[in-house]
């Protein structure tokens, strides 16, 4: 067998394995989608029926009637998008100051930032709630949004690893041309950080979209509830209505799948670059 044939066979086998595992990992979502449009009498059939007959698309319309989905979605977008803006504002600035600006405190500050990652959120939950309560900001979106504008250790770490690998010659050339550090950051560093910025945006958005503990802790007015709280409440009211539960789950999950597929190239590039993978 020639070397070219061996490479072709190896590539075909790799694709077959990838397709096989992709189908396995995607199967739970397909089952959820199938159950979401099934008549009630077909949900527990044995053997299972993947393609329902007839297809009950009205299950999705029922979700809109049973819960204020538009209001929940609007609130969820607030606590998912604003933290994204906060992180892409703060994390690059902090990472750039720790890696490309020479000052003595950088080598001490970064270990302290990493050390805060070791503190479980359960430890800080009560003190933070007391602080926000004394500030009169409980039952607002501020506790869920404002901390992102000061950076999160994990995203600072990702940015720092990426910015550290950027060529110093480009930054020095900008300084020689008279650019200040803010101009260098936003006109030189930002364009070169698209992969890791996309990774951070996707991770922060998914975290905000899926977050249940934060909204459950700080939001008391039902008009401000997010999708995660709405879905949890729906689970308690629709205990045996598995078709409606799956329909709600599909509507909750689908935006995340679409966002990941749209950003997957930059996302994987950012993860591989910052983690040292080749």
């Amino acid at each position: 067998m020639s070397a070219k044939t061996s490479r072709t066979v190896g590539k075909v086998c790799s694709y077959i394995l990838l397709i096989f595992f992709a189908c396995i990992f995607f199967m739970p979502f397909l089952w959820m989608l199938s159950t979401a449009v099934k008549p009630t009498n077909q949900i527990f059939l044995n053997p299972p029926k993947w393609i329902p007959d007839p297809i009950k698309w009205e299950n999705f319309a029922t979700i809109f009637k049973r819960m204020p989905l538009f209001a929940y979605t609007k609130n969820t977008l607030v606590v998912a998008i604003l933290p994204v803006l906060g992180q892409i504002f703060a994390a690059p600035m902090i990472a750039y100051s720790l890696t490309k600006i020479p000052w003595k405190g950088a080598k001490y500050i970064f270990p302290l930032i990493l050390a805060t990652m070791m503190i479980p959120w359960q430890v800080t939950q009560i003190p933070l709630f007391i602080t926000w309560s004394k500030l009169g900001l409980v039952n607002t979106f501020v506790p869920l949004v404002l901390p992102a504008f000061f950076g999160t250790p994990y995203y600072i770490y990702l940015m720092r690893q990426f910015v550290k690998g950027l060529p110093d010659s480009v930054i020095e050339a900008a300084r020689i041309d008279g650019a200040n550090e803010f101009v260098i950051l936003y006109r030189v560093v930002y364009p070169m950080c698209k992969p890791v910025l996309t990774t951070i945006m996707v991770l922060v958005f998914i975290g905000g979209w899926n977050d249940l503990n934060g909204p459950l802790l700080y939001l008391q007015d039902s008009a401000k509830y997010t999708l995660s709280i709405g879905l949890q409440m729906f689970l308690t009211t629709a205990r045996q209505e598995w078709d409606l539960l799956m329909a709600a789950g599909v509507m909750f999950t689908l935006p995340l799948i679409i966002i990941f597929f749209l950003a997957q190239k930059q996302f994987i590039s950012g993860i591989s670059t910052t983690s040292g993978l080749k």
Side-chain angles (χ1 to χ4, degrees):
M1 185 182 293
S2 65
K4 184 177 180 180
T5 304
S6 299
R7 287 195 299 269
T8 303
V9 172
K11 187 176 291 187
V12 170
C13 292
S14 299
Y15 282 129
I16 291 174
L17 284 175
L18 288 173
I19 293 171
F20 173 73
F21 284 109
C23 291
I24 290 178
F25 285 109
F26 200 59
M27 193 173 294
F29 179 76
L30 291 178
W31 179 252
M32 182 168 63
L33 180 60
S34 173
T35 306
V37 293
K38 282 180 179 178
T40 307
N41 60 351
Q42 296 182 16
I43 294 176
F44 295 106
L45 288 180
N46 191 15
K49 191 172 185 177
W50 283 89
I51 302 177
D53 183 27
I55 297 177
K56 288 186 62 178
W57 296 109
E58 57 268 24
N59 286 342
F60 293 102
T62 304
I63 298 299
F64 285 90
K65 297 176 182 178
R66 296 275 293 271
M67 58 190 295
L69 199 63
F70 288 116
Y72 290 161
T73 302
K74 181 191 69 174
N75 297 335
T76 305
L77 290 175
V78 170
V79 300
I81 293 178
L82 291 183
V84 170
L85 300 179
Q87 294 294 350
I88 63 175
F89 166 77
M93 188 182 301
I94 298 170
Y96 176 72
S97 70
L98 292 174
T99 55
K100 299 302 182 182
I101 299 178
W103 61 291
K104 293 182 180 180
K107 62 180 180 180
Y108 303 109
I109 295 297
F110 184 63
L112 289 176
I113 292 174
L114 291 183
T116 61
M117 296 175 61
M118 312 301 173
I119 304 174
W121 66 269
Q122 292 90 342
V123 174
T124 60
Q125 188 176 23
I126 295 176
L128 282 175
F129 181 83
I130 294 173
T131 301
W132 291 116
S133 179
K134 289 184 178 296
L135 291 172
L137 295 174
V138 173
N139 199 31
T140 70
F141 294 127
V142 175
L144 304 173
V145 171
L146 186 60
F149 286 84
F150 295 92
T152 298
Y154 178 65
Y155 303 124
I156 293 171
Y157 167 76
L158 286 181
M159 279 300 310
R160 189 250 186 193
Q161 295 303 103
F162 192 92
V163 174
K164 189 177 180 181
L166 298 179
D168 293 332
S169 57
V170 176
I171 296 174
E172 290 299 328
R175 286 176 181 151
I176 292 172
D177 288 340
N180 60 44
E181 299 299 339
F182 284 103
V183 172
I184 295 172
L185 175 62
Y186 290 108
R187 294 191 178 182
V188 178
V189 175
Y190 259 78
M192 293 190 291
C193 292
K194 286 182 180 179
V196 68
L197 285 173
T198 303
T199 301
I200 291 174
M201 291 169 66
V202 172
L203 290 176
V204 175
F205 184 87
I206 291 176
W209 186 274
N210 288 333
D211 187 22
L212 174 62
N213 291 317
L216 199 59
L217 182 65
Y218 292 110
L219 301 179
Q220 301 169 354
D221 186 358
S222 60
K224 297 178 181 178
Y225 284 172
T226 59
L227 279 170
S228 56
I229 298 180
L231 185 60
Q232 184 65 33
M233 293 172 60
F234 190 74
L235 289 174
T236 60
T237 59
R239 291 183 180 275
Q240 304 299 325
E241 299 174 280
W242 297 106
D243 51 345
L244 298 182
L245 291 175
M246 294 299 105
V250 168
M251 297 174 74
F252 184 85
T253 308
L254 193 59
L256 301 181
I257 295 176
I258 294 173
I259 288 173
F260 180 80
F261 273 105
L262 291 176
Q264 62 175 326
K265 185 177 180 180
Q266 295 286 342
F267 179 83
I268 294 172
S269 175
I271 287 291
S272 62
T273 304
T274 55
S275 63
L277 299 175
K278 300 295 183 182

